[in-house]
Amino acid sequence: MDLKQADIDHGLRAIQQAVTTTDLETQRLHWMGKQGLITQAFKTIGRLSVEEKPAVAKQLNEFKSQIIDVLAKQKELVKKIELQKAIDDKIDVTLEPRLLTQGHHHPIHQVIKKLNYFFAQRGFESRSDYNLEIEDEWHNFELLNIPAHHPARSMQDTFYCGEKILRTHVSAAQPRILKNSKLPLSAVVFGRVFRCDTPDATHTPVFHQMECLRIDRHCNFGHLKTIIEDFITFLFGEKLPIRYRASYFPFTEPSVEIDVWMPEKKAWLEILGAGMVHPNVIKNAGHDPSVYRGFAFGVGIERLAMLYFDLDDVRELYNSDLSLLGDCYLWQ
Ligand code: DAH
């Protein structure tokens, strides 16, 4: 055997200088490959005498383990060196971070969620169990003191389907809740309503409303004003100018409509109808209107969303234009 410790030491230093996987593989083959120096040296043992064999074999095994040991250590080092090189080559740490886009709810749903939160805190129960889209005229009109000759009942406004109708307002939930609840009660109902309207910038045949109903012994118009002004301030995060206009709804007396000032457009936008619940509505549900009184209001959710997100056309909410809807984010 020609191998000496000096050759091995020299070889170990060469291995330690390998900085790429290819260099290291060349070194490995040089020593441990089929034609490698260690492999070949082992083959010469067969030609030695019985006395010489043990010492030479012992020496060779020692050389072999030195080489294997250093090859393994260098392999780990080369791995680290190459990883660092890949990072340096490919990752430009000066690049602007890519913004993560996170989805959010549709603006209409966001408004509903925020209102739900507000009214829950004020003790109003969300009565989605009375959110019936297919109604009958009895609940949608009759029990709400809307007589048969009222224009709202004409074919032009209402979608009729056989005996049933698609509700024209969420106020239809009022008689159902009233009939089935112990008084006093505070409730809100969210849902879709349907009207035979031709779509334009402010109308769609299907839209969303929130109906709010409170019945108690000592309920007055001041309570109604307070809760309306508070929820508008909560929703918009600031006190917006509000205008009350005397109005008429068969199911409230007195009745008002409420407009909110839109600073950007310099115009008033009607957002809700409200009033003190008409005694007939309380009576129709089997309660005594001389004991109980209440207030109610119905808000257009799309109107609130348009106001909040400064939209010109209600149809923008339904066009699934993600570049627009993506910007409509209500919760800060
Ligand atoms: N239901 C009415 C509508 O859809 C809105 C409304 C007006 C609801 C007055 C009310 C109310 O509760 O008191 O136009």
CSV table of all heavy atoms in Angstrom, one decimal, residues 11 15 34 37 57 98 113 118 122 125 129 145 149 170 196-197 205 209 231 279 290 316 319 324 328-329:
chain,number,residue,atom,x,y,z
A,11,GLY,N,-5.2,15.1,1.2
A,11,GLY,CA,-6.6,14.9,0.7
A,11,GLY,C,-7.7,15.6,1.5
A,11,GLY,O,-8.6,16.1,1.0
A,15,ILE,N,-10.5,18.2,0.3
A,15,ILE,CA,-12.0,18.1,0.5
A,15,ILE,C,-12.5,19.3,1.2
A,15,ILE,O,-13.6,19.8,0.8
A,15,ILE,CB,-12.3,16.8,1.4
A,15,ILE,CG1,-11.9,15.6,0.7
A,15,ILE,CG2,-13.7,16.8,1.8
A,15,ILE,CD1,-12.0,14.3,1.5
A,34,LYS,N,-15.2,3.8,-7.3
A,34,LYS,CA,-14.7,2.4,-7.7
A,34,LYS,C,-13.2,2.4,-7.9
A,34,LYS,O,-12.5,1.5,-7.6
A,34,LYS,CB,-15.5,1.9,-8.9
A,34,LYS,CG,-16.7,1.1,-8.5
A,34,LYS,CD,-17.2,0.4,-9.8
A,34,LYS,CE,-18.5,-0.3,-9.4
A,34,LYS,NZ,-19.3,-0.5,-10.6
A,37,LEU,N,-8.9,6.1,-4.5
A,37,LEU,CA,-7.6,5.6,-3.9
A,37,LEU,C,-7.8,4.7,-2.7
A,37,LEU,O,-7.1,3.7,-2.6
A,37,LEU,CB,-6.8,6.9,-3.4
A,37,LEU,CG,-6.4,7.8,-4.5
A,37,LEU,CD1,-5.6,9.0,-4.0
A,37,LEU,CD2,-5.5,7.1,-5.5
A,57,ALA,N,-4.6,-3.4,7.0
A,57,ALA,CA,-6.1,-3.3,6.9
A,57,ALA,C,-6.5,-2.3,8.0
A,57,ALA,O,-7.4,-1.4,7.7
A,57,ALA,CB,-6.7,-4.6,7.2
A,98,ARG,N,-45.0,42.6,-1.2
A,98,ARG,CA,-46.2,42.4,-2.0
A,98,ARG,C,-47.4,42.4,-1.0
A,98,ARG,O,-47.3,41.7,0.0
A,98,ARG,CB,-46.1,41.0,-2.7
A,98,ARG,CG,-47.1,41.0,-3.9
A,98,ARG,CD,-47.0,39.6,-4.6
A,98,ARG,NE,-45.6,39.4,-5.1
A,98,ARG,CZ,-45.1,38.2,-5.3
A,98,ARG,NH1,-45.8,37.1,-5.0
A,98,ARG,NH2,-43.9,38.1,-5.9
A,113,LYS,N,-74.2,43.7,9.2
A,113,LYS,CA,-73.4,43.2,10.4
A,113,LYS,C,-73.2,44.3,11.4
A,113,LYS,O,-73.3,44.1,12.6
A,113,LYS,CB,-72.1,42.7,10.0
A,113,LYS,CG,-72.0,41.2,9.8
A,113,LYS,CD,-70.8,40.6,9.2
A,113,LYS,CE,-69.5,41.0,10.1
A,113,LYS,NZ,-68.3,40.5,9.4
A,118,PHE,N,-74.8,47.0,16.6
A,118,PHE,CA,-75.3,48.2,17.3
A,118,PHE,C,-76.6,47.9,18.0
A,118,PHE,O,-76.8,48.1,19.2
A,118,PHE,CB,-75.5,49.4,16.3
A,118,PHE,CG,-76.2,50.6,17.0
A,118,PHE,CD1,-75.5,51.5,17.6
A,118,PHE,CD2,-77.6,50.7,17.0
A,118,PHE,CE1,-76.1,52.6,18.2
A,118,PHE,CE2,-78.2,51.8,17.6
A,118,PHE,CZ,-77.5,52.7,18.2
A,122,ARG,N,-78.0,47.5,22.1
A,122,ARG,CA,-79.1,48.3,22.7
A,122,ARG,C,-80.3,47.5,23.1
A,122,ARG,O,-81.4,47.9,23.4
A,122,ARG,CB,-79.6,49.4,21.7
A,122,ARG,CG,-78.6,50.4,21.3
A,122,ARG,CD,-78.2,51.2,22.5
A,122,ARG,NE,-77.2,52.2,22.2
A,122,ARG,CZ,-77.5,53.5,22.0
A,122,ARG,NH1,-78.7,53.9,22.0
A,122,ARG,NH2,-76.5,54.3,21.7
A,125,GLU,N,-83.4,42.4,19.8
A,125,GLU,CA,-83.2,41.1,19.4
A,125,GLU,C,-83.3,40.9,17.9
A,125,GLU,O,-84.2,41.5,17.3
A,125,GLU,CB,-84.2,40.2,20.0
A,125,GLU,CG,-83.8,38.8,20.2
A,125,GLU,CD,-84.9,37.9,20.9
A,125,GLU,OE1,-85.8,38.5,21.5
A,125,GLU,OE2,-84.9,36.7,20.7
A,129,ASP,N,-86.0,34.7,12.5
A,129,ASP,CA,-87.1,33.7,12.4
A,129,ASP,C,-88.3,34.3,11.8
A,129,ASP,O,-89.2,33.5,11.3
A,129,ASP,CB,-87.4,33.1,13.8
A,129,ASP,CG,-87.5,34.1,14.9
A,129,ASP,OD1,-87.0,35.2,14.8
A,129,ASP,OD2,-88.1,33.7,15.9
A,145,ASN,N,-102.6,47.9,8.6
A,145,ASN,CA,-103.5,49.0,8.5
A,145,ASN,C,-103.5,49.6,7.0
A,145,ASN,O,-103.8,50.7,6.8
A,145,ASN,CB,-103.2,50.1,9.5
A,145,ASN,CG,-104.3,51.0,9.8
A,145,ASN,OD1,-105.5,50.5,9.8
A,145,ASN,ND2,-104.1,52.2,10.1
A,149,HIS,N,-107.7,49.4,-1.0
A,149,HIS,CA,-107.6,50.4,-2.0
A,149,HIS,C,-106.3,51.2,-2.1
A,149,HIS,O,-106.1,52.0,-2.9
A,149,HIS,CB,-108.8,51.3,-1.9
A,149,HIS,CG,-108.9,52.0,-0.6
A,149,HIS,ND1,-108.0,53.0,-0.2
A,149,HIS,CD2,-109.6,51.7,0.5
A,149,HIS,CE1,-108.3,53.4,1.0
A,149,HIS,NE2,-109.3,52.6,1.5
A,170,VAL,N,-90.1,44.9,4.9
A,170,VAL,CA,-89.8,44.0,6.0
A,170,VAL,C,-90.8,44.3,7.1
A,170,VAL,O,-90.9,43.6,8.1
A,170,VAL,CB,-88.3,44.0,6.4
A,170,VAL,CG1,-88.1,43.0,7.6
A,170,VAL,CG2,-87.4,43.6,5.3
A,196,CYS,N,-92.1,45.8,-8.0
A,196,CYS,CA,-92.0,45.8,-9.5
A,196,CYS,C,-91.4,47.2,-9.9
A,196,CYS,O,-92.2,48.0,-10.4
A,196,CYS,CB,-93.4,45.7,-10.1
A,196,CYS,SG,-94.1,44.1,-9.8
A,197,ASP,N,-90.2,47.4,-9.7
A,197,ASP,CA,-89.5,48.7,-10.1
A,197,ASP,C,-88.6,48.4,-11.3
A,197,ASP,O,-88.0,47.4,-11.4
A,197,ASP,CB,-88.7,49.2,-9.0
A,197,ASP,CG,-89.5,50.1,-8.1
A,197,ASP,OD1,-90.4,50.8,-8.6
A,197,ASP,OD2,-89.1,50.3,-6.9
A,205,PRO,N,-85.4,46.1,-8.3
A,205,PRO,CA,-86.6,45.3,-7.9
A,205,PRO,C,-86.4,44.5,-6.6
A,205,PRO,O,-87.4,44.1,-6.0
A,205,PRO,CB,-86.9,44.4,-9.1
A,205,PRO,CG,-85.9,44.8,-10.2
A,205,PRO,CD,-84.9,45.6,-9.6
A,209,GLN,N,-83.7,45.6,3.5
A,209,GLN,CA,-84.2,46.6,4.5
A,209,GLN,C,-83.9,46.0,5.9
A,209,GLN,O,-83.8,44.8,6.1
A,209,GLN,CB,-85.7,46.7,4.4
A,209,GLN,CG,-86.2,47.6,3.3
A,209,GLN,CD,-87.7,47.8,3.4
A,209,GLN,OE1,-88.4,47.0,3.9
A,209,GLN,NE2,-88.1,48.9,2.8
A,231,PHE,N,-77.8,55.4,15.9
A,231,PHE,CA,-77.3,54.3,15.0
A,231,PHE,C,-76.6,54.9,13.7
A,231,PHE,O,-75.6,54.4,13.2
A,231,PHE,CB,-78.3,53.3,14.6
A,231,PHE,CG,-79.0,53.4,13.3
A,231,PHE,CD1,-78.4,53.2,12.1
A,231,PHE,CD2,-80.4,53.9,13.2
A,231,PHE,CE1,-79.1,53.3,10.9
A,231,PHE,CE2,-81.0,54.0,12.0
A,231,PHE,CZ,-80.4,53.7,10.8
A,279,PRO,N,-102.1,52.6,16.5
A,279,PRO,CA,-102.9,51.8,17.5
A,279,PRO,C,-103.5,50.6,16.8
A,279,PRO,O,-103.6,49.5,17.4
A,279,PRO,CB,-103.9,52.8,18.0
A,279,PRO,CG,-103.4,54.1,17.8
A,279,PRO,CD,-102.5,54.0,16.6
A,290,SER,N,-104.2,51.0,24.3
A,290,SER,CA,-104.3,52.1,25.3
A,290,SER,C,-103.3,51.8,26.4
A,290,SER,O,-103.0,52.7,27.2
A,290,SER,CB,-105.7,52.1,25.9
A,290,SER,OG,-105.9,50.9,26.7
A,316,GLU,N,-74.2,49.4,-8.8
A,316,GLU,CA,-72.7,49.1,-8.6
A,316,GLU,C,-72.6,48.1,-7.6
A,316,GLU,O,-71.6,47.3,-7.6
A,316,GLU,CB,-72.0,50.4,-8.2
A,316,GLU,CG,-71.8,51.4,-9.4
A,316,GLU,CD,-71.1,52.7,-8.9
A,316,GLU,OE1,-71.5,53.2,-7.9
A,316,GLU,OE2,-70.2,53.1,-9.6
A,319,ASN,N,-72.9,44.5,-9.4
A,319,ASN,CA,-72.2,44.2,-10.7
A,319,ASN,C,-71.0,43.2,-10.5
A,319,ASN,O,-70.3,42.9,-11.4
A,319,ASN,CB,-71.7,45.5,-11.3
A,319,ASN,CG,-72.8,46.2,-12.1
A,319,ASN,OD1,-73.8,45.6,-12.3
A,319,ASN,ND2,-72.6,47.4,-12.4
A,324,LEU,N,-64.2,47.6,-7.5
A,324,LEU,CA,-65.0,48.5,-6.8
A,324,LEU,C,-65.4,47.9,-5.4
A,324,LEU,O,-65.1,48.5,-4.3
A,324,LEU,CB,-66.2,48.9,-7.5
A,324,LEU,CG,-67.1,49.9,-6.9
A,324,LEU,CD1,-67.5,51.0,-7.9
A,324,LEU,CD2,-68.4,49.3,-6.3
A,328,CYS,N,-64.7,48.7,-0.9
A,328,CYS,CA,-65.8,49.0,0.1
A,328,CYS,C,-65.6,48.2,1.4
A,328,CYS,O,-66.2,47.1,1.5
A,328,CYS,CB,-67.1,48.6,-0.6
A,328,CYS,SG,-67.5,49.6,-2.0
A,329,TYR,N,-64.8,48.7,2.3
A,329,TYR,CA,-64.6,48.0,3.5
A,329,TYR,C,-64.9,48.9,4.7
A,329,TYR,O,-64.4,50.0,4.8
A,329,TYR,CB,-63.1,47.6,3.6
A,329,TYR,CG,-62.8,46.7,4.8
A,329,TYR,CD1,-63.5,45.5,5.0
A,329,TYR,CD2,-61.9,47.1,5.7
A,329,TYR,CE1,-63.3,44.7,6.1
A,329,TYR,CE2,-61.7,46.3,6.8
A,329,TYR,CZ,-62.4,45.1,7.0
A,329,TYR,OH,-62.2,44.3,8.1
